[in-house]
Amino acid sequence: MSSPCESGLFENSGSPLANVYSLQINTNDDLPATSSCVGAYDPGTCSGWQQFVYDSDMKEIQVEPALINYDNTCPATFNSTDFFGNCYDENENTKAVPKLTIQQLMSDSVKFLGQVSVVGGKLTDTVKLIVSGTSYAATALDKLVNLSGHWKQTQFGIYGDRGGGEANFIGGTDLKVNLVTHSGTTMKPQCMLGGTTGESNNLNLQPAPTLGIQPAPTMQSDQNSNLPSSPAACATAKGVGDTHLDTFNNMLYDFQAQGDFQLVGPGTLRTTKAAMAPRNVVPPAGFIVQERQVSGAPSWPNAAVNRAVAARVGISEVAVCTAPTRLEINRSTVNLANGSELMLPDGASVTLDGNAYLMRDGSGNYVEATVQSGATPHVDVTVGMARYPEPVQGLLANAGDTDNAIESRAGTVLTAPFAFNGIYGSYSKSWLVPANLDLLSACNDKAGRGGEEYRNPKAVFYANNLPPKVAESARSACTRADVRAVPLLNACTVDVAVLGDEAVDVYRTLGAPAVWALIKNRVG
């Protein structure tokens, strides 16, 4: 955390004061609360929710159970209503604790925990604050909401202090929020966009969190005062230039085939169930992203660029086309004004910001298509997932939880470094867009032409395949833009040579990949 100065309102009223905030660990809001929901208007729709809270203004910690959709006079234990049918326990056991400044939270000597365990022979929910080795605890009986055995989701962060308040941090703040789970498993947790608390802070969630696999699995997110380069997501993948693909697990590889290909679509999750994942998780219904790649011939026959992107968001088909640049929705041209948003059925939407089209579905999945003009017009694409790990397949997906392997539609796994005829053979062919799922034909010309003939390059195309003087000039443009990581410098050099000097811009904000998956320039 840097520059961690914060001010807030207690219960969202009065004047802002320094270090008025809450720490919250919040559970999923579908806990059974079996005995507590008996008196609800409809016990079948009533459920429990629980917060473990540190209140900086009141200098106390507490366990705060709640009943969602109680829709009746609140029972004695849950004595407070929000007048929307929900009931809250304001009689909870509290424990006085020291007041902590935001700066003190930077210390490893401060820990905040929520847990369910057996205490004195009874299932008990406990919140703990540990400060320099001194432990403070407050409890509530688990039977109020039945957390034990049903705690599947966790939200953790720094928020406003009660009443829907906001914690306001000064500019330059960079907050690393680390959630550690102790659930008896080492499986990777699943990230999900969204949350259950009514409080907030003024920071921007950056894509994407880091998921840790270890005896106590972790998820670390980054929140800061900078506007993110792409919308927040649990995982992002990209396709830039001519054409470099950065998968959801941050593996960078080149894909220079020509044709209409699937970048992302529903698939089978080929890994163990994620810790903390809700039951019966299903793929993002209908979310599909496709791209149209065209050859760089005659100048660059072993390169290909993305000329169109199409997606299915909710029940709508949206395509961003070039030659000419236009937006197609359900195969009709739509003129979208810069800075405007068009709402679509099923919670989906399309917005235009300069040369970037953002297409979202109702679940939070998105695809951002940025049209790059110049001598070789093309489209850079970013895909964000609202849940990850997630059962998706396509050119941007890894094989299972790996960061060095990909797989064909049939499930054949290719591990880096890749054989040339492995990538440009059954793998590339398998991800051609099936006729019954074609979204890119909206970008065909009026005569119906435009679907690209499938064709593979004859050889790999890296920076060392460029003419020496061309490579030297292009590399200089990239180094002047402070592109240093070897994989990115190679990709940038190729793009500047093929697409022009403006191609360097996309590399100014790209982070180095976890794996650079090279393709061997030989049959094997």
Side-chain angles (χ1 to χ4, degrees):
M1 187 184 329
S2 61
S3 302
C5 295
E6 179 271 345
S7 65
L9 304 175
F10 179 69
E11 292 191 333
N12 211 19
S13 63
S15 300
L17 298 173
N19 299 304
V20 174
Y21 65 91
S22 65
L23 292 178
Q24 298 182 18
I25 298 175
N26 301 317
T27 74
N28 39 301
D29 59 5
D30 60 353
L31 303 173
T34 307
S35 59
S36 299
C37 281
V38 168
Y41 179 80
D42 181 357
T45 61
C46 174
S47 62
W49 174 53
Q50 186 145 279
Q51 296 182 285
F52 300 93
V53 179
Y54 165 71
D55 186 320
S56 71
D57 190 74
M58 298 186 72
K59 294 178 286 188
E60 64 183 26
I61 56 175
Q62 61 266 334
V63 181
E64 295 191 354
L67 300 179
I68 308 301
N69 296 326
Y70 193 79
D71 294 325
N72 209 341
T73 302
C74 293
T77 300
F78 299 86
N79 64 328
S80 177
T81 178
D82 60 4
F83 303 102
F84 292 98
N86 305 315
C87 299
Y88 299 86
D89 180 3
E90 297 296 345
N91 296 321
E92 70 275 354
N93 180 28
T94 63
K95 179 69 175 179
V97 297
K99 184 177 180 67
L100 300 175
T101 67
I102 286 290
Q103 290 86 349
Q104 286 177 284
L105 299 182
M106 298 174 65
S107 172
D108 288 339
S109 66
V110 177
K111 292 181 172 60
F112 185 61
L113 303 91
Q115 66 185 48
V116 55
S117 60
V118 177
V119 177
K122 296 180 179 180
L123 276 173
T124 304
D125 303 336
T126 304
V127 59
K128 288 185 179 180
L129 180 69
I130 302 173
V131 182
S132 300
T134 301
S135 181
Y136 307 86
T139 62
L141 290 177
D142 184 70
K143 68 179 182 180
L144 292 174
V145 291
N146 303 122
L147 189 62
S148 178
H150 303 99
W151 190 359
K152 302 299 181 184
Q153 300 172 23
T154 297
Q155 176 188 25
F156 171 61
I158 303 176
Y159 306 101
D161 194 350
R162 298 177 180 262
E166 182 176 75
N168 291 290
F169 293 85
I170 66 170
T173 297
D174 188 5
L175 193 66
K176 301 293 192 298
V177 179
N178 194 36
L179 172 65
V180 182
T181 63
H182 298 269
S183 58
T185 179
T186 59
M187 294 185 292
K188 182 182 292 186
Q190 183 187 55
C191 166
M192 299 173 60
L193 282 186
T196 52
T197 184
E199 285 73 50
S200 62
N201 64 48
N202 67 332
L203 300 177
N204 297 303
L205 181 62
Q206 306 292 320
T210 301
L211 305 179
I213 305 174
Q214 51 204 36
T218 63
M219 181 170 70
Q220 184 180 91
S221 61
D222 188 8
Q223 302 173 32
N224 59 50
S225 54
N226 300 323
L227 289 175
S229 56
S230 297
C234 286
T236 59
K238 298 178 182 291
V240 300
D242 62 339
T243 296
H244 315 288
L245 301 180
D246 185 3
T247 68
F248 289 115
N249 284 5
N250 201 207
M251 181 189 78
L252 181 70
Y253 75 106
D254 282 8
F255 188 76
Q256 308 287 14
Q258 174 180 296
D260 290 357
F261 297 97
Q262 176 177 303
L263 289 177
V264 176
T268 302
L269 188 62
R270 300 176 187 277
T271 183
T272 54
K273 284 188 176 180
M276 305 295 288
R279 293 181 179 179
N280 303 318
V281 170
V282 297
F287 184 62
I288 295 174
V289 184
Q290 301 171 354
E291 69 167 358
R292 173 167 291 170
Q293 294 200 175
V294 301
S295 172
S299 299
W300 309 102
N302 292 319
V305 296
N306 180 10
R307 283 285 175 81
V309 170
R312 187 166 71 199
V313 287
I315 61 174
S316 301
E317 297 181 4
V318 183
V320 176
C321 315
T322 58
T325 298
R326 64 190 190 278
L327 174 67
E328 298 279 335
I329 299 179
N330 296 324
R331 304 179 188 270
S332 295
T333 303
V334 174
N335 294 316
L336 188 62
N338 185 32
S340 63
E341 179 178 23
L342 177 64
M343 300 306 298
L344 300 174
D346 211 22
S349 65
V350 183
T351 59
L352 175 61
D353 182 8
N355 60 338
Y357 293 86
L358 179 64
M359 298 158 271
R360 297 178 184 265
D361 71 8
S363 299
N365 304 300
Y366 75 82
V367 54
E368 186 174 46
T370 303
V371 180
Q372 307 289 10
S373 58
T376 307
H378 63 285
V379 183
D380 289 332
V381 60
T382 300
V383 180
M385 301 301 298
R387 292 184 177 185
Y388 200 77
E390 187 71 3
V392 293
Q393 290 182 315
L395 295 178
L396 292 179
N398 291 83
D401 283 339
T402 66
D403 59 7
N404 67 338
I406 50 181
E407 66 179 333
S408 70
R409 191 185 296 272
T412 301
V413 174
L414 284 69
T415 303
F418 303 130
F420 182 86
N421 67 332
I423 288 287
Y424 299 117
S426 59
Y427 177 77
S428 61
K429 189 173 183 179
S430 78
W431 292 120
L432 288 169
V433 172
N436 65 331
L437 291 178
D438 175 30
L439 307 176
L440 288 161
S441 59
C443 293
N444 295 354
D445 62 24
K446 292 183 179 180
R449 296 185 298 270
E452 292 303 310
E453 179 183 355
Y454 170 57
R455 188 176 301 163
N456 288 310
K458 300 296 184 183
V460 298
F461 189 55
Y462 293 116
N464 60 1
N465 300 114
L466 294 166
K469 289 186 177 179
V470 173
E472 181 181 358
S473 176
R475 186 177 294 107
S476 295
C478 296
T479 55
R480 286 195 300 271
D482 203 30
V483 181
R484 302 294 178 183
V486 173
L488 298 183
L489 182 58
N490 178 88
C492 179
T493 300
V494 171
D495 286 359
V496 170
V498 174
L499 304 173
D501 286 349
E502 64 275 7
V504 75
D505 290 341
V506 73
Y507 289 92
R508 298 180 191 274
T509 58
L510 288 185
V515 174
W516 185 20
L518 293 169
I519 302 171
K520 297 179 289 185
N521 193 16
R522 66 177 187 274
V523 175

